[in-house]
Every structure is written in structure tokens, then in C-alpha cells.
Amino acid sequence: MHLLRIFEGANSEYHWFLRQRFRDRIRQTYSQPTSHADDRNWFCQLSLVLALGQALEKEPKQESEETNDPWDSNQSSAPLDLFGQAVSLLIISETLTLEDLETSNLMAYYCHFTNRPKAAVIYISQSIALARLLQLDRPETYQPMISERQDSKSPYITKEHMLRLWWTTVCLDKTLASELDLSPVYSSPSLELSLPSSEGLSSEDEEEFSDLKLLLAEIQS
């Protein structure tokens, strides 16, 4: 979890995925290695998060800090090509899901962070297209398919997850386009679309999300 903590600590202004669900899937993948064996999207997303954590880490850990964390690539003497692995795993089918959007946003941000601005704009353009096809600009009309991993989540979590994913995508679009002096792909956000909020979320529900104030500041900047 070391690289995940680094990633989340440095990127808490955006909403990337449901945080506790992501942690649960990491634990399940480690304890039951075959549980997600055919889920390319999951391993693509996991590789991207670890790649970003690896890129964000400024200093290698000291020997005394080493752990038995199976997802801590810093234990290896040679760095893993986690981004290359993610690219090879990336696939988008005709049955679009929120995870497709989560992954595309992570792809865009990794390219941005590693100084690949043109690739970042290409990926965020894809994200905007995915978000609109998923109708995330109209969350009240979008009824997501409830998977086995989501059926225990409250409807408030699902709706807020969708809403924060949309606004994160819009914010990334604006930020990444500005680096190349381009107009954002989605330049006219709906005035009817509500802003993210914690309304209806329990304290346990809120553990799935990062700091709301930081995301609102990004939206309003």
C-alpha cells in the first residue's frame, strides 16, 4: 500500500476512484490471486496507480523501511515498467463502465506528470467522450449497472462517485488543455449540474472520497 498512499497523498484534489473499494480489491487480489485474473481493466488501473506512486516518490526507501508489501515495487532492484504494462492492458469495450473513465483519467494524469502533454490531451479527450457516453453530465438520468463489488454501496455513494468523476474529468480537461494553449474539449459545463457534496453520505461513506473542499476549489478555479 506504500505507493498507493504516496499517490493519494499527492493527488487528493481529484476523485479517481472509490478509495476503500480500491483498497479492498488490492487485498483480495493479493489474498486470492485468481479472483481478478481476467479483469484487464483492474490490472491496468492498478498498474497506473503504482506507476504514479513510483514517479511521485522522490527518495528511495532506506533498508530499514522495507516491508513485505506485495504492491511496493521499490523492493525490486530494477524499476518496473508499470506504465508500459498499463498501456498493454488497456482495452475499452462497447459496454462502457465507470472504471473505463477512471482508467482513462489516470492515463491522462500520468502523461501529464511525466511531461507528455500531447498524450495527456489525447487521453483526457477520450475521458470526456467516455463521460458523456456514460451521461455523467446528467447523473440523475444515468442508472449504473450494479456489479457484485458495488451492490452493497449506498445509492448516495454511487451518485456522488459519478458526479465527482465528471467534475474531475472536466477539471483535468481544463488543466491539460491549458498546457498546450488549447481550448478544453468540454468548454461549457452544464449550469444545471450540481456540484459535489457530502449530502446523504455517512461518515463511513465519506471514506470512499478525498477532501471535498480541494475538489470544489479545483472546480471553481
Side-chain angles (χ1 to χ4, degrees), residues 24-161:
D24 290 344
R25 292 184 75 183
I26 289 180
R27 294 187 185 98
Q28 186 180 36
T29 300
Y30 176 54
S31 62
Q32 303 174 39
T34 61
S35 59
H36 299 290
D38 298 323
D39 194 341
R40 292 172 61 96
N41 200 320
W42 161 240
F43 285 106
C44 176
Q45 193 173 116
L46 178 58
S47 297
L48 285 167
V49 170
L50 297 181
L52 278 160
Q54 191 178 62
L56 285 159
E57 189 171 38
K58 295 181 179 179
E59 297 181 0
K61 291 195 306 178
Q62 300 299 318
E63 184 176 352
S64 61
E65 295 177 292
E66 291 184 0
T67 69
N68 292 321
D69 188 340
W71 303 109
D72 185 355
S73 65
N74 287 297
Q75 294 186 67
S76 172
S77 58
L80 300 175
D81 182 13
L82 293 165
F83 180 69
Q85 177 174 285
V87 170
S88 69
L89 289 167
L90 180 64
I91 185 171
I92 297 177
S93 70
E94 282 296 301
T95 306
L96 300 178
T97 68
L98 295 176
E99 288 182 1
D100 291 321
L101 177 57
E102 294 168 1
T103 302
S104 187
N105 281 348
L106 287 166
M107 281 283 193
Y109 189 75
Y110 182 88
C111 291
H112 162 69
F113 187 80
T114 55
N115 197 29
R116 307 176 195 185
K118 294 178 182 177
V121 167
I122 290 170
Y123 279 119
I124 200 60
S125 299
Q126 174 178 278
S127 291
I128 290 290
L130 285 167
R132 298 193 72 183
L133 287 168
L134 289 166
Q135 299 184 8
L136 295 194
D137 51 340
R138 294 181 294 158
E140 71 279 3
T141 67
Y142 176 53
Q143 300 297 322
M145 294 178 63
I146 303 299
S147 70
E148 292 181 2
R149 295 186 297 270
Q150 290 179 305
D151 57 6
S152 63
K153 299 296 182 185
S154 77
Y156 295 106
I157 288 181
T158 301
K159 183 174 181 179
E160 191 63 23
H161 177 41

Side-chain angles (χ1 to χ4, degrees), residues 180-196:
L180 294 178
D181 199 24
L182 299 173
S183 298
V185 176
Y186 195 78
S187 56
S188 302
S190 172
L191 297 177
E192 299 177 359
L193 188 65
S194 60
L195 293 173

